[in-house]
Amino acid sequence: GKVRAPTHIISTISDDRGEEPCYAGVAMSSIVERGYGVGDVISLLWFKRSLPRYCTHFIEICIMLCADHGPCVSGAHNTIVTARAGKDLVSSLVSGLLTIGPRFGGAIDDAARYFKDAYDRGLTPYEFVEDMKKKGIRVPGIGHRIKRGDNRDKRVELLQRFARTHFPSVKYMEYAVQVETYTLSKANNLVLNVDGAIGSLFLDLLAGSGMFSKQEIDEIVEIGYLNGLFVLARSIGLIGHTFDQKRLKQPLYRHPWEDVLYTK
Ligand code: ACO
Ligand code: LMR
């Protein structure tokens, strides 16, 4: 019989050995002929299945509205400084991407983890928030540098409106909104931010689509797929900022002395 040499790599999401590449078993020609979009490709390569249109549309909305948020945010700032230092596209991009983390853009997974745990354990928003406070942990998905209770984030509103219309259930999102109502009663900057909105709504997408077992949902949340949405989305903007700086032939950036408090 055939002797199978042991392999060093296992891969389950794509196959390039045939005439055309396949993503999760779906041939590239089908992807093109069926008019699939980037949301479908993400479904195949990340979740290894074709998700219903409302889910792939939701993914695409997340990508579009996280693509950029101006030149002043951490990621764009780093990218701009790097591009102005004469570095190449990839260096400028990754310099911006490296700022994505627990404070900026990378709170989606933790928001999903904490909201899911609190909701599933039946904690009231008050119990959840006060419990986090006792532990000294900021609630991921809550708070923003410039958004306020009286100047909400339009992106959050757009996501919520889409989900309320198309999702079978938005129980996790409604829970996050109740948490926001409580945190806003403490301080005006403690709004549900775009990370918190995506984190809670993705829980609703996973649970409500009927396409994932409970175990699969736990695995997705535990591994942390969801920050990938922000990383992917913001790459679009960071690449744009790199081209913008190069186009404008901007010189080396140096931060002004006046804006530094030199002290001992
Ligand atoms: N949970 C509880 N309390 C909070 C939170 C929160 N998420 N955010 C702020 N506070 C309170 C704290 O009391 C904080 O005091 P502390 O420094 O003693 O903890 C006080 O508000 C003031 O906080 P600031 O540091 O002035 O708030 P800032 O405007 O700098 O922070 C930030 C904004 C970083 C987004 C913060 O709210 C936070 O850490 N949120 C959680 C992480 C998160 O969701 N990040 C994603 C933001 S959206 C995006 O990047 C696309
Ligand atoms: C973003 O999308 O980059 C932000 O919400 C962060 C910010 O400070 O505006």
Side-chain angles (χ1 to χ4, degrees):
K2 279 186 185 166
V3 178
R4 185 83 175 90
T7 61
H8 295 96
I9 286 180
I10 305 173
S11 172
T12 70
I13 60 164
S14 59
D15 192 340
D16 60 316
R17 291 168 303 173
E19 251 182 26
E20 54 180 326
C22 287
Y23 293 168
V26 182
M28 192 50 62
S29 44
S30 297
I31 290 173
V32 174
E33 279 155 21
R34 290 182 204 166
Y36 277 6
V38 76
D40 297 281
V41 169
I42 290 170
S43 301
L44 293 171
L45 289 177
W46 294 9
F47 300 103
K48 295 177 51 173
R49 70 206 72 193
S50 284
L51 291 172
R53 178 63 191 138
Y54 79 86
C55 297
T56 60
H57 193 179
F58 177 75
I59 291 173
E60 284 164 7
I61 292 172
C62 292
I63 302 291
M64 290 189 290
L65 52 73
C66 290
D68 197 44
H69 207 230
C72 302
V73 305
S74 304
H77 180 84
N78 257 24
T79 288
I80 289 170
V81 171
T82 309
R84 289 181 57 168
K87 301 291 298 254
D88 60 292
L89 172 63
V90 177
S91 305
S92 305
L93 169 63
V94 298
S95 156
L97 288 179
L98 286 171
T99 62
I100 298 175
R103 293 182 186 169
F104 168 66
I108 309 179
D109 283 313
D110 272 345
R113 288 184 189 118
Y114 280 104
F115 286 140
K116 182 172 189 307
D117 178 69
Y119 178 88
D120 292 354
R121 287 197 291 131
L123 296 187
T124 63
Y126 171 84
E127 288 167 333
F128 169 51
V129 174
E130 293 304 323
D131 196 40
M132 294 291 275
K133 194 175 170 191
K134 265 187 224 139
K135 291 182 190 149
I137 306 172
R138 288 182 176 196
V139 181
I142 294 286
H144 199 274
R145 292 305 301 251
I146 57 169
K147 298 296 170 189
R148 294 285 175 270
D150 49 2
N151 170 31
R152 295 297 242 289
D153 192 329
K154 187 74 185 172
R155 299 170 297 178
V156 170
E157 193 190 310
L158 291 167
L159 289 167
Q160 290 175 329
R161 198 185 307 156
F162 179 88
R164 284 195 176 111
T165 313
H166 298 282
F167 284 23
S169 156
V170 286
K171 61 181 185 180
Y172 287 109
M173 186 267 274
E174 295 298 4
Y175 183 71
V177 169
Q178 286 172 30
V179 169
E180 178 193 44
T181 305
Y182 179 61
T183 54
L184 276 177
S185 73
K186 298 175 108 200
N188 201 25
N189 65 324
L190 297 184
V191 291
L192 180 65
N193 62 42
V194 73
D195 283 11
I198 294 177
S200 56
L201 279 169
F202 227 93
L203 292 173
D204 286 319
L205 182 153
L206 294 168
S209 66
M211 304 283 290
F212 298 89
S213 68
K214 203 182 154 307
Q215 200 186 340
E216 285 174 322
I217 296 174
D218 288 343
E219 190 183 49
I220 288 166
V221 171
E222 192 192 312
I223 289 177
Y225 286 29
L226 306 180
N227 285 344
L229 290 167
F230 192 90
V231 171
L232 178 66
R234 193 50 61 94
S235 296
I236 300 172
L238 297 178
I239 291 171
H241 284 291
T242 306
F243 296 155
D244 194 37
Q245 296 305 306
K246 304 265 181 208
R247 194 166 47 226
L248 294 166
K249 298 191 179 16
Q250 288 296 284
L252 179 67
Y253 179 80
R254 198 174 196 284
H255 201 73
W257 281 323
E258 308 79 74
D259 193 39
V260 176
L261 173 65
Y262 291 91
T263 182
K264 291 227 191 274

